[in-house]
Amino acid sequence: MILQSPYRAGLTALCALVLSACAAPQKDISLIPTQTADVTSKDGVFTQPLQYERQKPGCKGDCPRLKVDSLIFPGNKALTDYVDQQLADMTQFDGTYTAQASVSDFTDYYWVHAGPRDEVILSSKVRYRNQYLTVLELGAWQYLTGAAHGMGEIRFINWDNQKKQALTLKDIVKPNQLPAFIEKLQQAHQRWLATQEAAQENPTEYNRLWPFQPSDNIALTDAGVVVKYNSYEIAPYSSGQPELLIPYPELRGILHPAYLPR
């Protein structure tokens, strides 16, 4: 028994070391798995649709309308509340309405201040998700009485499921690497311009009217970082809301390793 004690003690210590290593969190884990969105979304947060369409109560004839085509996240109050707050905030993007704390608050305010033919559409959809991240695309459209056309805003949310908070561009890009990120975004912009007939017909005039500008409206996806621009930011209204894709291989050394697929 005495001769076996050192052996048993060593074995016990070795087992403890192995178990400790297995239990330790992985510091180099990637939040962007290499699988496609269709595969990773199975491990993402649970969603339920929130859909309704209403007109101003008691109104007859030409009445303001509100349509909501959004999502809620059962068991995830923080994300549900954050989406609700962001949608409410987006209703004032063109200065027509005053920002409210929630969609419910905005609805009450809207019925009081809307014109007879005003229409607001609020939406949210999942753009990409896995067990670590939930990336959402939020939209707000306003069709105002007498306007030539409607206007809209798109806003991305990159939600960290563990931290239960939204990520900013500064959270994703390494310190002092923002200029490098903007350079890659400019290159993506040049690729996009090559697909635009108007830009190719007269590049000098197009660039004068619609110069490049950086944006922090980004979405992490399985293919790379998508940057979304709203109407009139880098292109005329007829071009819609341009999307620029920066593939992950171009962003190595620029993004924090956690936001690059391994």
Side-chain angles (χ1 to χ4, degrees):
M1 295 294 293
I2 296 177
L3 293 176
Q4 292 177 349
S5 295
Y7 171 77
R8 289 184 175 179
L11 183 60
T12 300
L14 178 60
C15 290
L17 181 62
V18 171
L19 290 173
S20 174
C22 292
Q26 299 181 32
K27 295 181 180 179
D28 61 346
I29 191 170
S30 172
L31 304 186
I32 311 292
T34 55
Q35 297 96 332
T36 64
D38 288 340
V39 175
T40 58
S41 64
K42 295 178 181 178
D43 296 324
V45 297
F46 181 59
T47 66
Q48 285 185 344
L50 175 65
Q51 298 173 329
Y52 57 87
E53 188 168 358
R54 299 170 183 167
Q55 72 174 29
K56 183 176 179 179
C59 178
K60 298 182 186 287
D62 292 330
C63 301
R65 302 187 67 85
L66 172 66
K67 180 178 180 180
V68 174
D69 184 6
S70 188
L71 297 168
I72 58 174
F73 305 87
N76 195 333
K77 186 176 185 301
L79 181 52
T80 297
D81 289 348
Y82 188 76
V83 169
D84 184 64
Q85 293 161 7
Q86 290 295 302
L87 286 174
D89 180 70
M90 291 170 68
T91 59
Q92 52 82 51
F93 71 90
D94 67 350
T96 304
Y97 298 113
T98 302
Q100 302 293 311
S102 68
V103 172
S104 177
D105 289 343
F106 169 73
T107 302
D108 293 339
Y109 168 87
Y110 175 63
W111 296 144
V112 174
H113 294 87
R117 295 183 182 177
D118 285 9
E119 183 176 3
V120 171
I121 302 175
L122 303 177
S123 70
S124 65
K125 64 180 181 179
V126 176
R127 188 63 186 261
Y128 172 73
R129 66 180 176 182
N130 59 48
Q131 63 178 317
Y132 308 110
L133 298 171
T134 302
V135 182
L136 302 170
E137 181 177 310
L138 275 55
W141 288 267
Q142 295 181 6
Y143 301 87
L144 302 179
T145 304
H149 55 70
M151 287 294 293
E153 178 187 3
I154 296 292
R155 185 180 297 182
F156 286 135
I157 293 175
N158 300 273
W159 185 263
D160 188 307
N161 296 336
Q162 273 68 48
K163 295 180 180 179
K164 296 185 178 181
Q165 65 184 35
L167 299 168
T168 67
L169 182 60
K170 290 184 179 180
D171 295 324
I172 295 167
V173 174
K174 284 183 172 181
N176 304 317
Q177 289 299 312
L178 184 58
F181 178 85
I182 294 175
E183 181 179 350
K184 295 298 182 183
L185 180 56
Q186 282 185 290
Q187 294 172 10
H189 179 244
Q190 290 300 312
R191 293 193 294 267
W192 179 80
L193 287 176
T195 69
Q196 302 300 301
E197 184 177 346
Q200 294 303 303
E201 288 178 355
N202 192 337
T204 301
E205 181 66 7
Y206 193 93
N207 289 330
R208 183 185 71 81
L209 293 173
W210 308 107
F212 166 81
Q213 59 178 309
S215 172
D216 60 358
N217 191 25
I218 68 166
L220 295 163
T221 74
D222 57 334
V225 173
V226 171
V227 183
K228 187 88 169 184
Y229 289 87
N230 291 298
S231 299
Y232 296 118
E233 289 186 334
I234 60 170
Y237 183 82
S238 58
S239 296
Q241 294 162 309
E243 282 192 1
L244 309 183
L245 172 66
I246 311 174
Y248 283 123
E250 296 184 15
L251 293 169
R252 297 201 177 277
I254 297 175
L255 301 189
H256 287 290
Y259 303 107
L260 291 167
R262 295 196 182 279

